[in-house]
Amino acid sequence: MGDDIKMAGQPLSRVDGKLKVTGAAKYAAEYIIPNLAYGVLASGAIARGRIKSIDTAAAEKAPGVIAIITHLNAPKPPGYFGGKESSDPRTEGGEYRVFYNDVILYSGQPVALAIADTFERARYAASLVKVQYVKEPPQTDMLSNMDKAVVPKESDPDYNRGDKNAFDNAAFTFEQEYQTQLQVHNPMEPHAAIAVWEGADAITVYNKTQSSPIAQEDIAKAWKLQKENVHIVSKFVGGAFGGASRVWPEEMAATIGAKKIGRPLKVVFNRDQLFNMVGYRPQSLQKIKLGADKDGKLIGIHHEAYGNTSTYEQFTANMTSLTQALYACDNVSTLYRLVPLDVSTPCWTRAPGEAPGSFALESALDELSYTLKIDPLELRKRNYAAQNPDTKQPWSTKFLNECYERGAAQFGWEKRNPQPRSTTNGNWLIGYGMATGIYGAWRAPSSARAVLNSDGTLVVQSATADVGVGTATIMSQIAADATGIPVEKIKFELGDSRLPPAIGQFGSLTTTSVGSAVNDACVALRQKAIEYLKKSQSSLQNTPVENFAFGDGKIKTKDDAVSISYADLLQQQHLPSIEVTVDSKGSEEADKYSSYSYNATFVEVGVHALTNQLKVNRVVSAIDAGKIMNKKTARSQVYGSVTWGIGMALTEESVIDDRYGRWMVKDLADYHVPVNADIPAIEVLFIDKSDDILTPIGAKGLGEIGIVGVAAAIANAVYHATGKRVRDLPITPDKLV
Amino acid sequence: MNEQEPFCPNESRRSFLKKSTVITAVALTPAAAINAANNHWDEHIAAAIENVSLSVEINGTRHTMDIDPRTSLLDLLRENLHLTGTKKGCDYGQCGACTVHVNGERVLSCLTLAATTDGSKVTTIEGLANGDELHPMQAAFIKHDGFQCGYCTPGQIMSAVACIREGHASSRDQIREYMSGNICRCGAYPNIVDAIEEVQKGGQKV
């Protein structure tokens, strides 16, 4: 790290902020491409069956129409139709292939792509496509299809440690069922793709993706192209939350359509198409059984979880994993099953398993606390896991107790009257609730390139993404500390498959993985600079590396005998630039430890005594995510997580009409994403202690941890306010009657 | 079981034009007109004559053009004029990402047919700054981190400026209420309120 400037941790404003507030930041659909045609997808009208016939005559004759594409005339991506069931190792089964055949697998499935010279004309032509179907009765209700539940093909869906019958010896046992809803990512930017073929064997796709390397690989595979001939550009992503972590029908439709018409094509989803064409958080049914002694020590935990998937693909997001690691309990068993339905495949959604899983587990803990008459926070502290109770490994770092203590103090938890429905403010019943959050911390292999120019500027590159968290900003800060180059002379480039390959932006992995790679590349770069300096000054020949310092854009010896700017060094050596590319991954030492991020969320709700109107009055979120790289962007990220948790707890739900398998809630008027007036004061407390085992920069990952437990904390507060326990999300006023 | 898609209202538009063209043509040269209809020349003629002329001032520059009457102000800005700072979030008037000012008032450009802005003055996010000098609201959004992904941001900023001009920024609660037409899925709401409050209290001209 640089000696003079410690940029990491500083609340630096975003380096790309000006581009975003002036409208200059370019998102997928906004690239200006000559001769661009517009494609609009026509959605199918049934949830299961076959296309009997498609009449495209009227659409084809509409003004400006270039082509109408259906399964009957679509150019065939050779890898797509190769007969292999799945090309994606991350999911079991065969991914949905747009315009593959006449089979309808889910409601709203694309049946045609209308291509015209303007958007208005393409949209009109899409409305003229007439489809006749052979309909089959769809199955979309998970609860009435539980008998069809299957064991996921992923490894180890079930888990057991200790004695399954330990509950028999527990003084108290508790058993309950919980449900979570179908939650939709709904990023503000609709998924979009512009496909530009450069001859038959090369293509550029401008899209919305959390990983340009994954999009590159998926499209290369579908079209059987050399990977280096597929160029993915995705510089700015208007929110994703997991929903842009694989290639979806808009990318494939754009590549197929552009192939057909021999000119660049743009395809953008409508908002309603975003509800079930690009994944969603599956609904869940969970069963929890707890056994405890009279002091609240957990004797046994059993956690069963069922989530829906599609008929053609297994999407897994194990909701029970957190139960294996969160509390010190010798006897734990978990089970995870999937229920295939006539719906599109779900997708990773912010804290995919942990958000719904924690709702069940942390609601159950709260219920147990009332049975035992032990304060809910105290109950959790009594079951604090000093090591990983599953693997018995030590934690790399764990500051959950600090989260509990600081969060409780800031919130004023000690003022809580343990009696439910005991606190009022005018017509409002007031309740306090809390919950614990846990999310695995990992570091994935990633690469970064650092290029030092002779004018003293530094360019750092990595093919990661920024879906809004501030990647370029914190990477610039990390690079500044490693090189001593001021942050305003550093440019971080991302969102392009031609950059050094790196993990995408998901799983709270970017900072731990790419941040470490950036650090390592910059450290290697400064080593190289030292070598050049030694070459130029023979007196430094035997100076050990640790005697050099870096700051203000200079390399110095610690005794200040020598001090030279990077720019002068390169110019003296007649070097236009020096460059280092580093492949970076976690240490073997780190494998000996278990790493997680933690939080404790404290919530106050108000429930109107007459109308059951619900509101969150305030939230305190205390977070242990290792060292915080930028306190400004990090706080915003936790605001976002808490807001998502409030939506999950109180307002968000998409609903399917199971008679027809059709999605009824598919716009932002009916699907209630929290708005400004829904969000109270949120206080974010960072423990901000470095985890030096997991990463050289001390970070553990922040993207998901803030949402884990929030819905449970709110449900627990609603119970404390009203005496009414709601076990199925969202908690709407009718459920409190 | 077979099912035909329900009646599509759009279908009638061309049919009506076709009938009108044919009726007009019958009075002139029936054979040529019928021939034209069969070859769908009527579609091309209709497409040409149904465009409407529009003269609108956008960010201080007057634009005069013929447009497809179906074009929304949002699509005019983004697709025709390449002013992509104004964002399409839902296209149904439910998210606020497309907010611009028309004659000084905030409107949803996705629900505004471009043709209805004839003679109006439109300001978009690209027209808010004074050259390189950011508008105070833009600067406050950066300072208070009033965004993450940045996609709702232009709409938030245009709404925020209007919110102060309307006199709807006198308290945090009022700001939250009058900014609730602009959804931010990243959840930057508290920062957005901070930014607006600072600009409002700063008393700078917005």
Side-chain angles (χ1 to χ4, degrees):
Chain A
M1 299 270 165
D3 288 347
D4 295 345
I5 312 162
K6 283 275 180 274
M7 279 311 299
Q10 295 297 316
L12 185 72
S13 289
R14 289 166 195 264
V15 296
D16 47 7
K18 191 173 178 186
L19 292 174
K20 289 181 175 178
V21 301
T22 56
K26 281 218 179 307
Y27 299 80
E30 298 172 352
Y31 286 84
I32 297 165
I33 309 289
N35 203 29
L36 182 69
Y38 293 80
V40 171
L41 285 163
S43 299
I46 65 166
R48 177 175 164 171
R50 278 182 36 243
I51 297 169
K52 188 180 168 197
S53 66
I54 300 191
D55 179 1
T56 58
E60 278 162 17
K61 285 168 187 161
V65 169
I66 300 162
I68 306 294
I69 290 176
T70 69
H71 67 282
L72 297 169
N73 67 347
K76 310 234 177 296
Y80 215 46
F81 298 83
K84 275 201 173 171
E85 266 305 283
S86 179
S87 61
D88 190 336
R90 295 170 299 154
T91 52
E92 284 286 343
E95 70 255 282
Y96 167 69
R97 295 159 218 201
V98 67
F99 308 136
Y100 175 54
N101 59 20
D102 62 354
V103 179
I104 299 288
L105 296 164
Y106 61 87
S107 167
Q109 178 180 317
V111 291
L113 175 68
I115 303 176
D117 57 355
T118 70
F119 169 66
E120 289 78 14
R121 288 168 156 187
R123 184 178 56 188
Y124 175 59
S127 77
L128 298 178
V129 175
K130 291 196 194 77
V131 185
Q132 285 196 310
Y133 301 96
V134 178
K135 245 169 63 168
E136 290 169 31
Q139 294 297 327
T140 54
D141 177 22
M142 189 174 88
L143 298 183
S144 62
N145 283 282
M146 294 297 286
D147 57 326
K148 300 192 184 80
V150 296
V151 181
K153 287 178 191 156
E154 73 161 20
S155 58
D156 304 328
D158 299 342
Y159 171 84
N160 187 55
R161 73 168 177 255
D163 179 6
K164 269 192 176 175
N165 299 316
F167 295 97
D168 298 343
N169 306 322
F172 294 91
T173 56
F174 165 86
E175 207 167 344
Q176 217 22 282
E177 283 190 10
Y178 301 88
Q179 290 180 49
T180 61
Q181 74 276 49
L182 204 154
Q183 193 184 21
V184 182
H185 305 85
N186 269 316
M188 296 322 296
E189 181 205 16
H191 286 57
I194 298 174
V196 187
W197 284 94
E198 289 125 22
D201 302 324
I203 190 167
T204 297
V205 179
Y206 303 84
N207 71 337
K208 173 192 183 87
T209 182
Q210 290 168 251
S211 170
S212 57
I214 287 179
Q216 178 189 41
E217 195 166 327
D218 285 357
I219 289 170
K221 219 179 271 175
W223 287 100
K224 290 203 169 164
L225 300 173
Q226 298 290 322
K227 222 166 86 171
E228 54 274 22
N229 288 346
V230 177
H231 184 199
I232 304 293
V233 182
S234 184
K235 301 275 182 202
F236 287 93
V237 175
F241 315 107
S245 48
R246 61 187 296 191
V247 159
W248 292 114
E250 86 281 7
E251 281 112 336
M252 287 315 300
T255 60
I256 289 169
K259 185 77 152 179
K260 176 86 175 176
I261 63 172
R263 79 190 247 197
L265 176 66
K266 168 154 84 177
V267 176
V268 185
F269 279 146
N270 297 331
R271 180 55 57 178
D272 57 294
Q273 292 171 327
L274 292 170
F275 274 75
N276 65 339
M277 272 194 225
V278 291
Y280 53 87
R281 191 196 295 283
Q283 65 184 113
S284 81
L285 170 69
Q286 300 178 65
K287 299 175 186 182
I288 301 270
K289 188 175 179 185
L290 300 176
D293 68 16
K294 63 177 175 32
D295 297 324
K297 177 80 192 98
L298 289 166
I299 306 290
I301 308 176
H302 177 70
H303 187 175
E304 252 176 80
Y306 300 80
N308 77 269
T309 187
S310 65
T311 55
Y312 51 94
E313 219 173 13
Q314 285 194 352
F315 169 77
T316 54
N318 199 331
M319 292 167 263
T320 65
S321 306
L322 80 165
T323 303
Q324 298 161 18
L326 184 49
Y327 293 113
C329 177
D330 293 334
N331 309 299
V332 175
S333 58
T334 70
L335 175 147
Y336 176 43
R337 296 289 178 269
L338 294 174
V339 182
L341 298 173
D342 293 311
V343 293
S344 58
T345 308
C347 182
W348 301 276
T349 309
R350 205 164 199 170
E354 291 78 1
S358 64
F359 170 65
L361 180 64
E362 290 297 291
S363 290
L365 256 288
D366 198 67
E367 298 203 49
L368 182 67
S369 78
Y370 286 94
T371 307
L372 297 172
K373 298 190 167 46
I374 297 174
D375 178 274
L377 174 59
E378 175 60 25
L379 178 63
R380 287 166 173 88
K381 285 182 177 173
R382 288 185 192 179
N383 290 285
Y384 197 84
Q387 61 174 6
N388 185 318
D390 171 22
T391 63
K392 314 296 181 203
Q393 289 172 305
W395 307 113
S396 56
T397 54
K398 176 176 179 176
F399 299 107
L400 177 57
N401 266 332
E402 287 79 350
C403 293
Y404 286 149
E405 277 152 29
R406 285 190 54 196
Q410 185 69 28
F411 184 81
W413 183 256
E414 80 285 353
K415 294 188 200 110
R416 173 180 176 274
N417 180 335
Q419 184 63 31
R421 215 181 169 93
S422 59
T423 310
T424 57
N425 180 7
N427 280 328
W428 293 86
L429 305 169
I430 302 298
Y432 287 7
M434 63 82 55
T436 312
I438 178 170
Y439 191 85
W442 296 279
R443 177 176 168 193
S446 286
S447 309
R449 180 186 298 132
V451 184
L452 176 64
N453 296 310
S454 58
D455 61 358
T457 60
L458 176 68
V459 177
V460 186
Q461 301 172 315
S462 182
T464 186
D466 185 359
V467 302
V469 307
T471 308
T473 308
I474 63 167
M475 295 306 158
S476 301
Q477 291 175 270
I478 291 165
D481 280 343
T483 59
I485 294 172
V487 78
E488 53 286 358
K489 290 195 170 181
I490 298 173
K491 185 166 190 242
F492 185 78
E493 296 177 347
L494 50 65
D496 189 316
S497 61
R498 289 182 177 167
L499 300 174
I503 191 76
Q505 189 147 71
F506 36 65
S508 298
L509 282 164
T510 313
T511 302
T512 56
S513 311
V514 182
S516 297
V518 166
N519 176 74
D520 292 354
C522 290
V523 168
L525 181 80
R526 81 183 187 205
Q527 293 304 115
K528 215 167 172 177
I530 290 172
E531 285 160 28
Y532 283 114
L533 182 59
K534 285 184 169 183
K535 231 190 269 177
S536 70
Q537 307 217 14
S538 52
S539 63
L540 296 174
Q541 222 34 267
N542 298 318
T543 309
V545 168
E546 57 271 21
N547 282 14
F548 289 94
F550 310 87
D552 299 330
K554 291 177 191 153
I555 312 182
K556 300 173 248 194
T557 51
K558 283 190 174 162
D559 60 7
D560 277 333
V562 176
S563 172
I564 184 169
S565 74
Y566 284 110
D568 289 346
L569 175 66
L570 265 65
Q571 284 161 23
Q572 274 180 16
Q573 298 288 311
H574 306 292
L575 293 164
S577 63
I578 52 176
E579 180 180 321
V580 178
T581 303
V582 166
D583 300 326
S584 166
K585 62 178 176 145
S587 66
E588 281 175 22
E589 178 68 9
D591 294 341
K592 298 176 192 158
Y593 294 83
S594 178
S595 297
Y596 287 85
S597 290
Y598 292 93
N599 83 39
T601 302
F602 297 83
V603 172
E604 180 192 311
V605 301
V607 180
H608 197 276
L610 301 174
T611 65
N612 287 340
Q613 185 192 344
L614 284 141
K615 58 177 190 177
V616 177
N617 291 336
R618 60 197 180 93
V619 178
V620 172
S621 175
I623 304 252
D624 164 26
K627 181 168 172 59
I628 298 304
M629 294 293 123
N630 180 321
K631 294 202 182 65
K632 187 185 278 194
T633 58
R635 190 183 63 154
S636 297
Q637 217 175 340
V638 178
Y639 282 172
S641 290
V642 171
T643 302
W644 268 68
I646 292 172
M648 185 178 174
L650 300 181
T651 63
E652 295 181 37
E653 182 175 29
S654 202
V655 179
I656 297 174
D657 182 338
D658 295 317
R659 294 172 302 172
Y660 309 106
R662 300 279 280 166
W663 290 51
M664 295 191 291
V665 173
K666 51 178 185 174
D667 64 41
L668 294 172
D670 291 330
Y671 187 94
H672 297 149
V673 167
V675 297
N676 207 321
D678 294 323
I679 300 305
I682 301 168
E683 285 178 89
V684 182
L685 308 175
F686 290 116
I687 304 303
D688 197 21
K689 285 190 184 165
S690 205
D691 187 326
D692 297 327
I693 292 168
L694 183 68
T695 62
I697 51 175
K700 287 204 285 191
L702 183 64
E704 342 257 332
I705 184 61
I707 187 180
V708 185
V710 176
I714 292 170
N716 297 343
V718 169
Y719 175 77
H720 183 237
T722 64
K724 179 119 184 137
R725 178 67 63 174
V726 180
R727 300 187 184 91
D728 58 326
L729 296 180
I731 306 167
T732 45
D734 55 298
K735 293 178 185 172
L736 295 173
V737 173
Chain B
M1 179 177 153
N2 296 337
E3 192 186 54
Q4 178 94 36
E5 267 197 341
F7 170 72
C8 167
N10 276 328
E11 196 179 358
S12 58
R13 196 182 79 98
R14 289 287 156 189
S15 308
F16 173 77
L17 282 170
K18 190 177 288 183
K19 278 175 204 148
S20 319
T21 315
V22 173
I23 291 162
T24 315
V26 165
L28 303 167
T29 51
I34 289 161
N35 193 23
N38 287 343
N39 286 306
H40 298 278
W41 294 340
D42 58 328
E43 293 286 4
H44 298 286
I45 295 162
I49 60 169
E50 72 187 4
N51 276 354
V52 294
S53 64
L54 171 68
S55 179
V56 58
E57 189 184 310
I58 298 171
N59 301 332
T61 305
R62 180 151 297 277
H63 297 265
T64 303
M65 65 207 120
D66 287 337
I67 60 161
D68 186 322
R70 295 167 295 191
T71 309
S72 67
L73 176 58
L74 174 60
D75 289 323
L76 179 86
L77 293 168
R78 285 173 64 83
E79 305 300 339
N80 299 21
L81 301 174
H82 296 146
L83 290 169
T84 53
T86 304
K87 303 302 183 193
K88 183 181 281 191
C90 68
D91 218 13
Y92 306 148
Q94 297 165 346
C95 78
C98 67
T99 305
V100 299
H101 296 170
V102 176
N103 298 329
E105 291 190 9
R106 51 174 158 171
V107 302
L108 297 170
S109 61
C110 75
L111 295 187
T112 305
L113 284 170
T116 65
T117 63
D118 191 51
S120 302
K121 286 185 180 179
V122 175
T123 306
T124 72
I125 191 73
E126 290 93 343
L128 204 58
N130 180 14
D132 274 348
E133 189 194 336
L134 292 179
H135 182 280
M137 192 62 77
Q138 292 172 313
F141 264 63
I142 293 177
K143 179 180 166 192
H144 292 281
D145 212 31
F147 53 89
Q148 289 188 49
C149 78
Y151 198 79
C152 75
T153 312
Q156 299 277 2
I157 291 174
M158 298 311 286
S159 250
V161 170
C163 189
I164 292 181
R165 287 183 188 162
E166 291 160 8
H168 290 145
S170 60
S171 69
R172 289 184 73 85
D173 279 349
Q174 196 185 31
I175 292 169
R176 289 164 69 216
E177 203 62 38
Y178 278 87
M179 287 301 292
S180 281
N182 290 79
I183 297 176
C184 170
R185 187 52 157 162
C186 299
Y189 297 129
N191 294 341
I192 291 169
V193 176
D194 287 348
I196 298 171
E197 195 179 33
E198 181 180 273
V199 174
Q200 201 273 342
K201 286 186 174 160
Q204 291 155 286
K205 188 180 179 304
V206 297

